[in-house]
């Protein structure tokens, strides 16, 4: 009887873990789609590995437009990351939002992203 209950509990845990991984994957896909859509709208090509960095390959666009695109993607990544953190916090039953710390934008004079 104990073995059956343990196996059932492990199966439920693994199913929940799969759903959490699927949730994170779908949000990452949404961020990549936003980056691709924004890049095609502004004529800026962003490599998937460069979303966290500052490298931009521009195709005949101004530096302001490229910077605007980078800022937009940084904002989307930040908000999606925050949404994922709040979802995980909710799943673990912690309703205290004071546990979340604001991330600072890297660089001189870094200010928290809002």
């Amino acid at each position: 009887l104990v073995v059956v209950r343990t196996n059932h509990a492990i199966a439920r845990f693994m199913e929940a873990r799969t759903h959490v991984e699927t949730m994170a994957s779908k949000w990452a896909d949404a961020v990549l789609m936003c980056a691709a859509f924004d890049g095609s709208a502004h004529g800026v090509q962003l490599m998937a590995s460069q979303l966290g960095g500052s490298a931009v390959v521009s195709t005949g666009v101004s530096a302001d437009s490229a910077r605007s695109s980078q800022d937009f993607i940084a904002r989307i990544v930040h908000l999606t990351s925050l949404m994922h953190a709040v979802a995980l916090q909710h799943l673990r039953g912690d309703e205290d939002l004071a546990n979340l710390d604001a991330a600072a934008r890297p660089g001189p004079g870094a200010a928290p992203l809002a």
Side-chain angles (χ1 to χ4, degrees):
L1 182 64
V2 173
V3 172
V4 171
R5 286 185 179 201
T6 303
N7 284 341
H8 186 63
I10 290 172
R12 287 178 58 201
F13 171 79
M14 293 306 290
E15 182 181 2
R17 182 170 168 81
T18 300
H19 287 301
V20 169
E21 288 176 5
T22 302
M23 175 183 66
S25 173
K26 295 294 183 182
W27 285 344
D29 289 344
V31 168
L32 288 174
M33 291 297 130
C34 286
F37 184 75
D38 182 61
S40 67
H42 287 101
V44 177
Q45 294 177 343
L46 297 171
M47 303 299 261
S49 63
Q50 297 169 337
L51 287 176
S54 61
V56 174
V57 178
S58 62
T59 55
V61 296
S62 68
D64 290 338
S65 179
R67 185 70 195 151
S68 171
S69 182
Q70 280 184 322
D71 288 343
F72 171 74
I73 292 170
R75 168 76 92 206
I76 293 295
V77 168
H78 172 72
L79 292 175
T80 306
S81 175
L82 184 61
M83 183 171 56
H84 184 69
V86 169
L88 292 179
Q89 190 174 20
H90 176 73
L91 287 175
R92 83 176 180 198
D94 185 7
E95 300 299 328
D96 183 18
L97 292 180
N99 292 337
L100 297 176
D101 294 328
R105 176 175 283 167
L113 295 172

